[in-house]
């Protein structure tokens, strides 16, 4: 009966991990570029149950048989196997802002932080005081030549991630104020967005603020070039890939599974109490 306590407790602990993942997904359902967490589990080794009153082998006219045959299996609990990130594509959301970028397909934007290079799918960027393209947390967005300095909203990003600026207003970006967007003359290539991928991106480590860092399992960042690069959409953002309906259904499943494991422990406790308080009297 003591084994039943451990089995039930392991099930409750597993559902706690799953609930944490579901709650985090629901909390970020409106976060641009957020990728849902998924908890997977594995069972402890199962034990084969045999009849214990008999032992050995007995003979019969057709041969021999085991006197203690297997009569079933006994589970010994469950544990968290891994908590990984699902990088399925989120739905596009049009914003018409030149500072909003979206990746259509695999890959990540690279940003510079005080802790080293980090990666994100959230393309909601802003213009810094010194003209650098920044995340909302103030981290510079990286191009192939370093932090991207666009000076003002006189830039365009094509599907290949190339950043073009208007040569006519390159020296004085303030001249672009009040001008029509189609007054571009002789665009100049400023830089190309640094877009990277990983061998096993599901094992990237989340750091908050929609940032990821590489891990030993994910492997180092690999720059994407040529046809391998995803399509870049300017004026769009990638929505979260969390489906609220699916997450709510999973939350209900978690609650019911948790209560079932809790009931197992309560039943085991009642059985043990009966064994000690009543059966032992007649021993």
């Amino acid at each position: 009966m003591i084994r039943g306590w451990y089995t039930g407790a392991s099930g409750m602990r597993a559902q706690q991990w799953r609930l944490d993942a579901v709650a985090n997904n629901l909390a970020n359902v409106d976060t641009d570029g957020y990728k849902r967490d998924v908890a997977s589990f594995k069972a402890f080794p199962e034990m084969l149950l045999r009849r214990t009153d008999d032992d050995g082998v007995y003979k019969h006219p057709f041969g021999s048989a085991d006197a203690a045959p297997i009569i079933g299996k006994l589970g010994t609990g469950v544990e968290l196997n891994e908590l990984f990130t699902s990088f399925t594509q989120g739905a596009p959301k049009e914003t018409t802002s030149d500072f909003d970028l979206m990746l259509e397909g695999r890959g990540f934007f690279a940003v510079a932080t005080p802790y080293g290079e980090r990666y994100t799918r959230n393309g909601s960027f802003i213009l810094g005081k010194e003209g650098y393209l920044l995340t909302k947390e103030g981290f510079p967005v990286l191009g192939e030549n370093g932090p991207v300095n666009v000076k003002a909203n006189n830039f365009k990003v094509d599907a290949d991630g190339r950043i073009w600026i208007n040569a006519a207003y390159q020296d004085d970006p303030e001249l672009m104020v009040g001008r029509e967007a189609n007054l571009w003359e002789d665009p100049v290539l400023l830089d190309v967005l640094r877009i990277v991928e990983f061998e096993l991106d599901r094992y990237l480590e989340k750091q908050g603020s929609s940032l990821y860092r590489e891990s030993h399992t994910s492997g180092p960042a690999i720059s994407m070039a040529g046809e391998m690069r995803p399509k870049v959409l300017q004026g769009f953002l990638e929505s979260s890939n969390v489906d609220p309906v699916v997450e709510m259904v999973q939350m209900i499943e978690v609650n019911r599974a948790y209560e079932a494991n809790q009931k197992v422990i309560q039943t085991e406790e009642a059985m043990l109490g009966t064994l000690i308080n009543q059966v032992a009297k007649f021993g």
Side-chain angles (χ1 to χ4, degrees):
M1 280 183 281
I2 300 298
R3 185 183 296 118
W5 286 353
Y6 292 119
T7 302
S10 69
M12 293 172 66
R13 181 56 178 161
Q15 296 308 318
Q16 285 181 331
W17 280 106
R18 189 180 178 191
L19 182 61
D20 289 343
V22 171
N24 190 47
N25 292 338
L26 287 173
N28 289 278
V29 68
D30 293 324
T31 302
D32 296 323
Y34 177 81
K35 300 302 179 183
R36 64 188 295 263
D37 291 327
V38 181
S40 63
F41 305 94
K42 64 180 179 181
F44 292 148
E46 293 182 332
M47 295 188 296
L48 299 177
L49 298 179
R50 295 176 179 268
R51 282 207 303 257
T52 57
D53 293 338
D54 300 319
D55 194 11
V57 177
Y58 67 91
K59 294 183 178 181
H60 52 76
F62 303 101
S64 61
D66 191 347
I70 298 173
I71 60 175
K73 296 180 180 180
L74 176 65
T76 56
V78 67
E79 66 176 340
L80 179 72
N81 187 42
E82 63 174 340
L83 184 65
F84 66 91
T85 304
S86 173
F87 284 99
T88 56
Q89 182 77 45
K93 179 174 60 177
E94 187 173 6
T95 66
T96 69
S97 171
D98 290 340
F99 298 102
D100 290 337
L101 303 176
M102 171 185 167
L103 296 180
E104 193 174 63
R106 292 171 56 90
F108 299 84
F109 298 109
V111 299
T113 75
Y115 314 102
E117 190 171 281
R118 295 295 184 263
Y119 313 95
T120 184
R121 292 281 301 189
N122 187 352
S124 180
F125 302 133
I126 59 175
L127 183 67
K129 293 182 178 179
E130 298 179 357
Y132 286 97
L133 195 61
L134 308 175
T135 66
K136 290 186 175 180
E137 291 73 30
F139 302 132
V141 180
L142 296 177
E144 297 294 343
N145 299 320
V148 177
N149 190 341
V150 294
K151 295 184 180 179
N153 61 337
N154 62 330
F155 73 100
K156 290 186 180 297
V157 181
D158 63 19
D160 295 323
R162 295 175 297 183
I163 305 171
W164 301 88
I165 60 175
N166 194 325
Y169 307 103
Q170 182 177 3
D171 296 330
D172 191 357
E174 293 183 359
L175 294 177
M176 284 293 292
V177 178
R179 301 278 182 161
E180 297 294 334
N182 59 0
L183 294 180
W184 280 65
E185 301 174 4
D186 302 324
V188 175
L189 180 62
L190 176 67
D191 203 344
V192 180
L193 288 172
R194 173 166 161 75
I195 301 176
V196 302
E197 66 175 345
F198 298 85
E199 185 175 354
L200 294 172
D201 54 12
R202 64 184 286 171
Y203 297 112
L204 289 172
E205 297 179 0
K206 288 185 175 181
Q207 285 206 291
S209 301
S210 299
L211 295 179
Y212 300 87
R213 69 175 180 182
E214 64 185 49
S215 67
H216 177 74
T217 308
S218 71
I222 304 171
S223 294
M224 304 180 73
E227 296 181 355
M228 299 299 295
R229 289 174 65 89
K231 182 179 180 181
V232 180
L233 301 178
Q234 188 175 20
F236 288 83
L237 288 175
E238 181 183 6
S239 301
S240 167
N241 67 350
V242 175
D243 186 338
V245 176
V246 173
E247 299 299 326
M248 290 300 296
V249 170
Q250 289 194 10
M251 181 171 288
I252 295 173
E253 293 177 354
V254 168
N255 289 331
R256 290 179 177 176
Y258 189 91
E259 291 174 357
N261 284 281
Q262 190 177 38
K263 197 68 176 179
V264 168
I265 294 178
Q266 293 173 347
T267 303
E268 292 284 343
E269 183 180 12
M271 292 172 60
L272 184 60
T274 301
L275 176 65
I276 295 175
N277 298 324
Q278 297 184 22
V279 177
K281 295 179 180 180
F282 304 97

